[in-house]
Amino acid sequence: MELEKRVQALEDIEAIKRLKGKYIRCVDRKLWQELEECFVADAEAHYGENNDYTGRDAILSFLKGGLVEGVVKSAHECHTPEIELTGEATARGIWKFHDYIV
């Protein structure tokens, strides 16, 4: 039984990594509808000091406002995540990343 829990935890962490990859692709390509699928309704996002958002709509509004179609180009690169499974259906992740915005 313990082995099954450990394998499930690894599968959950991999799923989170894939979700982050989808998030980055959708942000850079401005695929807003597909990006919406990356968040649960009560998601929380922290984009550095004093840039905290609660709720999918607030997060998407922030992202759309910063990456206006035709005005801004972006390229995000994520590196080495720190993922902590905090419950059966919750997790917390921190990624070091670089974003290039023109």
Side-chain angles (χ1 to χ4, degrees):
M1 188 64 120
E2 184 62 31
L3 180 59
E4 288 178 16
K5 286 183 179 180
R6 290 172 54 200
V7 169
Q8 185 62 56
L10 292 172
E11 288 178 347
D12 292 345
I13 288 170
E14 279 303 308
I16 293 167
K17 289 178 185 179
R18 285 191 309 275
L19 180 64
K20 182 67 169 186
K22 177 179 178 176
Y23 164 86
I24 293 299
R25 177 180 55 79
C26 291
V27 166
D28 286 339
R29 297 184 68 201
K30 299 173 187 64
L31 301 172
W32 305 125
Q33 283 186 310
E34 193 173 346
L35 180 64
E36 187 174 332
E37 299 169 5
C38 293
F39 297 99
V40 294
D42 61 347
E44 294 180 13
H46 309 282
Y47 295 102
E49 195 171 321
N50 299 319
N51 275 320
D52 300 328
Y53 300 91
T54 300
R56 176 178 44 227
D57 293 341
I59 296 166
L60 290 170
S61 179
F62 164 73
L63 293 171
K64 290 176 184 179
L67 297 170
V68 179
E69 186 69 39
V71 176
V72 174
K73 302 291 182 193
S74 67
H76 292 78
E77 299 174 357
C78 289
H79 310 277
T80 317
E82 299 173 51
I83 300 170
E84 174 188 4
L85 302 176
T86 57
E88 278 192 38
T90 59
R92 179 185 334 265
I94 300 172
W95 275 263
K96 176 168 176 45
F97 77 95
H98 295 279
D99 58 340
Y100 303 94
I101 299 175
V102 179

